[in-house]
Amino acid sequence: MNIAIVGTGLIGGSIGIRLKQTNFADKIVGIEKSETNQKKALQLGLVDEFQTLPEALQNCKIIVLTVPVDAIMELLPQLLDKATNQVIIDMGSTKTNILNLISEHPNRGRYVAAHPMAGTEYSGPEAAIPNLFKDKMMVYVEAFKTDEDAFELADALTEQLEMKTSFMTADEHDMHTAYVSHISHLTSFALALTVLEKEKSQGRIFELAGSGFQSTVRLAKSSPDMWTPIFKQNRSNVLEVLEEHIKQLQHIYDKINQEDYDAVHKWIKKSNKIKRIIK
Amino acid sequence: MNIAIVGTGLIGGSIGIRLKQTNFADKIVGIEKSETNQKKALQLGLVDEFQTLPEALQNCKIIVLTVPVDAIMELLPQLLDKATNQVIIDMGSTKTNILNLISEHPNRGRYVAAHPMAGTEYSGPEAAIPNLFKDKMMVYVEAFKTDEDAFELADALTEQLEMKTSFMTADEHDMHTAYVSHISHLTSFALALTVLEKEKSQGRIFELAGSGFQSTVRLAKSSPDMWTPIFKQNRSNVLEVLEEHIKQLQHIYDKINQEDYDAVHKWIKKSNKIKRIIK
């Protein structure tokens, strides 16, 4: 069985390198626009060879889409038009729009909507690592609409990646990711810019930056090509969580401004409940 | 030479355990209100024994203050009143108010304003670790107002902790820490609360939380007893950076709301410049 990976960056490359380790496929075929990235991916051994998308669709049983979500919106309908018994897995970070787009497609059953909750702030083939997915969560969205054999094959691939699994509706998925992933990126981007702006008048501002700052700002290294389409596709949820987050910050601004330090203490103490969630 | 550490939590305990490793002092004396923490600190070997503050002031050459900054504001003037040739080092996170408070004190020369840019989101004696300070930055504030022998002794202690050093005015220090430390804590507290609130209606909201979320929210485990006084003592800088940060978030809210994705892309790309600063 051959597997095609469309987009050989952080996610696609990490899938390729892991599947090559486990010998799950006879051949890992890459599909990649950028010639530079093709060369890098071959050098790094992320895939066995590159083909065009029509070639790959003919030669491969599984097609995994790991390109930005706007590109998936374009590619998926075309692929489903031509699909016969292949399995097409979309690994994008948003699901409602894409599922609406193909809900009535005659080949809907060949499509698996999946989202691996794994990543780093780095991108491109050089960022690929074999253990990126280990013990992380693979979310399946509207899995009940996928043909049973197609789902089984996708889930076998997930097992190769050593992931846990979870099932959700598209609405749940897009809201949950807005709250536990997309907002984290927005706050990091905003925090980086807040301090970078200050650097213009205070040249030494980063001298005291320690591990706390690094931790809250590291996601600001994430790719705009990947993240702009996510905010676009998940616009309403992203606006909701941003509004809530700004409200929290405005609340604490007001309390500090009013010198109501009892309220500040209570607010921090309440936020400490996050200990229950994260180690 | 004996060294007294007032407050044997994360910072004080980590200093104690490290100085015991290097045999820098004959004896490490702890001063600690909480009897529970006294027992823990002795069990963990953070200090050799506990004394009262007046005893310690008589028996020790160096007094290190690692209690919350409001407690330092109370303690420092009393200690300077009674100081003769001891060195009193304040390791608090804010400096302008404390320096204003004692600027005309006849024993000003015995006081060293220092701030180790090191810490974790944990607190208490159990959180103490010997290598907390290694390769981190010790900031000295208005060091030129300290007697030379007192500064030399404080700097020898800093060397034992294997820290780098930096010199600043109080205004610089308090502004810089607001931008690269205090705001990171505020965004983490706010982010934790944003998602904890959502959990009330969406019980599974944390199921998809991965390393990105953890990274941006881990500081929300920090102690309200430590952080409320910091926001109080550094109020004007904290309000400034909070205002700037909220502006950044409001800006990106507006751009996503207006569906101006070119502007979103540019904003993210600009924030990527943080790569220059953090690894």
Side-chain angles (χ1 to χ4, degrees):
Chain A
M1 177 178 66
N2 299 334
I3 297 182
I5 299 174
V6 186
T8 50
L10 169 68
I11 300 293
S14 297
I15 294 173
I17 204 166
R18 171 68 189 158
L19 294 185
K20 283 183 67 174
Q21 274 183 351
T22 65
N23 295 315
F24 181 64
D26 297 312
K27 203 193 278 177
I28 307 285
V29 174
I31 294 94
E32 171 69 57
K33 274 194 305 195
S34 151
E35 273 189 41
T36 319
N37 283 353
Q38 283 193 17
K39 270 183 209 161
K40 282 185 197 163
L42 287 174
Q43 270 169 357
L44 293 162
L46 307 182
V47 298
D48 295 304
E49 59 177 81
F50 280 92
Q51 296 184 5
T52 64
L53 193 51
E55 285 168 349
L57 194 63
Q58 270 199 323
N59 304 330
C60 299
K61 177 69 180 170
I62 303 179
I63 321 287
V64 185
L65 305 179
T66 67
V67 286
V69 285
D70 53 344
I72 292 178
M73 292 286 283
E74 269 190 55
L75 280 179
L76 184 62
Q78 301 167 22
L79 284 169
L80 283 180
D81 287 347
K82 291 172 199 150
T84 52
N85 69 339
Q86 300 93 327
V87 181
I88 301 164
I89 311 174
D90 139 38
M91 298 244 183
S93 296
T94 63
K95 295 302 183 202
T96 305
N97 288 352
I98 189 78
L99 279 160
N100 285 341
L101 187 68
I102 53 79
S103 66
E104 302 301 325
H105 197 288
N107 289 329
R108 166 68 185 86
R110 308 314 300 164
Y111 165 61
V112 181
H115 180 198
M117 299 306 299
T120 72
E121 65 273 35
Y122 305 105
S123 48
E126 311 89 320
I129 45 175
N131 286 328
L132 182 65
F133 305 102
K134 194 174 159 58
D135 298 329
K136 304 290 170 60
M137 188 72 86
M138 179 72 91
V139 191
Y140 294 118
V141 181
E142 288 192 4
F144 60 92
K145 291 193 182 167
T146 298
D147 293 346
E148 203 168 321
D149 71 296
F151 180 77
E152 291 302 324
L153 209 47
D155 202 40
L157 188 150
T158 298
E159 254 180 53
Q160 299 291 309
L161 303 178
E162 301 183 283
M163 299 184 79
K164 301 178 285 186
T165 59
S166 175
F167 294 85
M168 285 191 176
T169 67
D171 285 353
E172 274 180 309
H173 170 274
D174 282 11
M175 183 200 286
H176 289 204
T177 51
Y179 274 81
V180 296
S181 166
H182 305 173
I183 187 66
S184 288
H185 286 77
L186 285 165
T187 60
S188 268
F189 294 136
L191 190 54
L193 282 168
T194 302
V195 190
L196 285 164
E197 279 302 313
K198 192 68 177 177
E199 193 190 23
K200 292 176 184 168
S201 60
Q202 290 287 329
R204 296 172 69 189
I205 198 88
F206 286 107
E207 202 173 293
L208 307 191
S211 57
F213 179 73
Q214 290 214 10
S215 173
T216 47
V217 89
R218 74 170 176 85
L219 296 178
K221 295 190 270 181
S222 303
S223 154
D225 298 338
M226 186 61 76
W227 281 93
T228 307
I230 290 174
F231 300 141
K232 182 177 173 185
Q233 296 299 332
N234 203 17
R235 178 168 168 271
S236 65
N237 287 306
V238 164
L239 288 177
E240 179 191 300
V241 64
L242 252 176
E243 194 182 332
E244 289 304 316
H245 186 61
I246 292 171
K247 264 190 212 161
Q248 289 288 349
L249 290 168
Q250 191 61 53
H251 170 81
I252 204 60
Y253 181 96
D254 293 341
K255 294 303 167 192
I256 296 173
N257 197 28
Q258 295 155 12
E259 308 200 50
D260 182 352
Y261 298 111
D262 284 344
V264 175
H265 192 280
K266 268 183 206 151
W267 184 80
I268 297 176
K269 201 173 167 112
K270 212 167 142 193
S271 86
N272 284 172
K273 287 191 186 170
I274 203 71
K275 287 178 191 171
R276 181 168 54 76
I277 312 295
I278 62 170
K279 278 155 281 172
Chain B
M1 178 177 68
N2 299 333
I3 297 183
I5 299 174
V6 186
T8 50
L10 169 68
I11 300 293
S14 297
I15 294 173
I17 203 166
R18 171 68 189 159
L19 293 185
K20 283 184 68 176
Q21 274 184 351
T22 66
N23 296 315
F24 181 65
D26 297 313
K27 202 193 280 179
I28 307 286
V29 174
I31 293 93
E32 171 68 56
K33 275 195 305 194
S34 152
E35 274 189 40
T36 319
N37 282 354
Q38 282 192 18
K39 270 183 210 159
K40 282 185 197 164
L42 287 173
Q43 270 170 359
L44 294 163
L46 308 182
V47 298
D48 295 305
E49 59 177 80
F50 280 92
Q51 297 185 2
T52 65
L53 194 51
E55 285 168 350
L57 193 64
Q58 271 200 323
N59 303 331
C60 299
K61 177 69 180 168
I62 302 180
I63 323 285
V64 184
L65 305 179
T66 67
V67 286
V69 287
D70 52 344
I72 292 176
M73 292 286 283
E74 269 191 57
L75 281 179
L76 184 63
Q78 303 168 22
L79 285 169
L80 284 180
D81 287 348
K82 294 171 198 149
T84 52
N85 70 339
Q86 300 94 328
V87 182
I88 300 164
I89 310 174
D90 140 38
M91 298 243 182
S93 296
T94 61
K95 296 301 183 204
T96 305
N97 288 351
I98 189 78
L99 280 159
N100 284 341
L101 187 69
I102 53 78
S103 66
E104 303 302 325
H105 197 287
N107 289 330
R108 167 65 185 90
R110 307 315 299 164
Y111 165 60
V112 181
H115 181 197
M117 300 305 301
T120 72
E121 65 274 35
Y122 304 105
S123 48
E126 313 88 321
I129 44 174
N131 286 327
L132 183 65
F133 304 103
K134 193 173 160 59
D135 299 328
K136 303 291 169 61
M137 188 71 87
M138 179 71 93
V139 191
Y140 294 119
V141 180
E142 288 193 3
F144 59 93
K145 291 193 179 165
T146 299
D147 295 346
E148 201 167 324
D149 71 298
F151 180 77
E152 291 301 326
L153 209 48
D155 202 40
L157 187 150
T158 297
E159 254 179 52
Q160 299 291 311
L161 303 179
E162 303 184 283
M163 300 183 78
K164 301 178 284 186
T165 59
S166 174
F167 295 86
M168 285 192 177
T169 66
D171 285 353
E172 273 180 310
H173 170 274
D174 282 11
M175 182 200 286
H176 289 204
T177 52
Y179 274 82
V180 296
S181 166
H182 306 173
I183 186 66
S184 288
H185 285 78
L186 285 165
T187 60
S188 268
F189 295 136
L191 190 55
L193 282 169
T194 302
V195 190
L196 284 165
E197 280 302 314
K198 191 68 178 178
E199 193 190 22
K200 293 175 184 168
S201 61
Q202 291 287 328
R204 297 171 69 190
I205 198 88
F206 287 107
E207 201 174 296
L208 307 191
S211 58
F213 180 72
Q214 290 215 11
S215 173
T216 47
V217 90
R218 74 170 176 87
L219 296 178
K221 295 189 270 180
S222 303
S223 155
D225 298 338
M226 186 62 75
W227 282 93
T228 306
I230 291 174
F231 300 141
K232 182 178 175 183
Q233 295 299 332
N234 203 16
R235 178 168 167 271
S236 65
N237 287 307
V238 164
L239 289 176
E240 179 192 301
V241 65
L242 252 177
E243 194 183 330
E244 289 303 318
H245 186 60
I246 291 171
K247 263 189 212 160
Q248 288 289 348
L249 289 169
Q250 191 60 54
H251 170 80
I252 204 61
Y253 181 95
D254 294 342
K255 293 303 169 193
I256 295 174
N257 197 27
Q258 295 154 12
E259 308 199 52
D260 183 352
Y261 297 110
D262 283 345
V264 175
H265 192 281
K266 268 183 205 151
W267 185 80
I268 298 175
K269 202 173 166 112
K270 212 167 143 194
S271 86
N272 284 171
K273 286 190 186 171
I274 204 71
K275 287 179 192 172
R276 180 168 54 76
I277 312 295
I278 62 170
K279 277 156 279 172

